[in-house]
Amino acid sequence: MFLETVMALVNQMSGTPYITGGNSPAGTDCSGLASLVSNVASDRPAFSGRFNTGNEESALLARGFKYGTAPGALVIGWNGGHTAVTLPDGTPVSSGEGGGVRIGGGGAYQPQFSHHMYLPVEGEAPADAPAPVLVSMLAPEPPPPAAPEPADAPPPPPPAPDPADAPPPPPPAPEVAPVGDAPNDAPAPPEGA
């Protein structure tokens, strides 16, 4: 039902001019077309709740979209200046790619799009449809490394000794006369012995 409704609207609007900020059957820009399609998919009036590429993420989240792409889903891709749609059956629709509203164009999977969101649409496309291949999607940031567990961490160094806790120095040793200066009290050994 959704796909038939959207295709009827797009066919009716096909060939209408690209109109910056447009949001009517007489013409629209890329964001207006993405708004129209996402509105119909989420059971809203087609020409209500228009968004633009600056607030597209929050608008799509409010309509039940999820991050990424999925086979058999309505997929919208965008960057800071353009957006386009791929319908659940794989049909791309666009406005501003070679003119106004039309069936065709690059759709949601263009390499220029760094953001993608999808809305699962039951019964619109076969469940085993292969997912389109993204040509140039940015990978998410890797998670930060986990802190080591306390058991894996090396033991802390022993604390430095406090000079106030040090034992007193030992007393000086008694003076000893050098060996060569001692008086000769012992008898000398006999000669020839």
Side-chain angles (χ1 to χ4, degrees), residues 6-25:
V6 167
M7 288 304 288
L9 281 167
V10 172
N11 279 321
Q12 176 187 347
M13 295 177 66
S14 187
T16 58
Y18 179 91
I19 300 173
T20 303
N23 191 34
S24 77

Side-chain angles (χ1 to χ4, degrees), residues 46-88:
F47 296 100
S48 68
R50 186 189 194 290
F51 53 78
N52 59 55
T53 56
N55 66 358
E56 193 160 352
E57 179 179 8
S58 61
L60 292 175
L61 286 171
R63 288 163 174 76
F65 280 70
K66 300 176 186 208
Y67 291 101
T69 64
L74 169 62
V75 180
I76 298 179
W78 76 96
N79 59 26
H82 186 51
T83 185
V85 178
T86 298
L87 300 176

Side-chain angles (χ1 to χ4, degrees), residues 14-19 28-30 33 82 94-102:
S14 187
T16 58
Y18 179 91
I19 300 173
T28 186
D29 61 7
C30 58
L33 183 64
H82 186 51
S94 64
S95 182
E97 295 177 14
V101 175
R102 70 185 185 112

Side-chain angles (χ1 to χ4, degrees), residues 58-150:
S58 61
L60 292 175
L61 286 171
R63 288 163 174 76
F65 280 70
K66 300 176 186 208
Y67 291 101
T69 64
L74 169 62
V75 180
I76 298 179
W78 76 96
N79 59 26
H82 186 51
T83 185
V85 178
T86 298
L87 300 176
D89 67 353
T91 303
V93 295
S94 64
S95 182
E97 295 177 14
V101 175
R102 70 185 185 112
I103 297 171
Y109 297 98
Q110 296 178 54
Q112 67 175 312
F113 294 145
S114 54
H115 305 285
H116 294 86
M117 294 184 83
Y118 73 96
L119 181 68
V121 182
E122 293 184 29
E124 297 293 345
D128 60 348
V133 176
L134 294 176
V135 178
S136 178
M137 185 171 175
L138 298 177
E141 289 289 323
E149 293 293 322

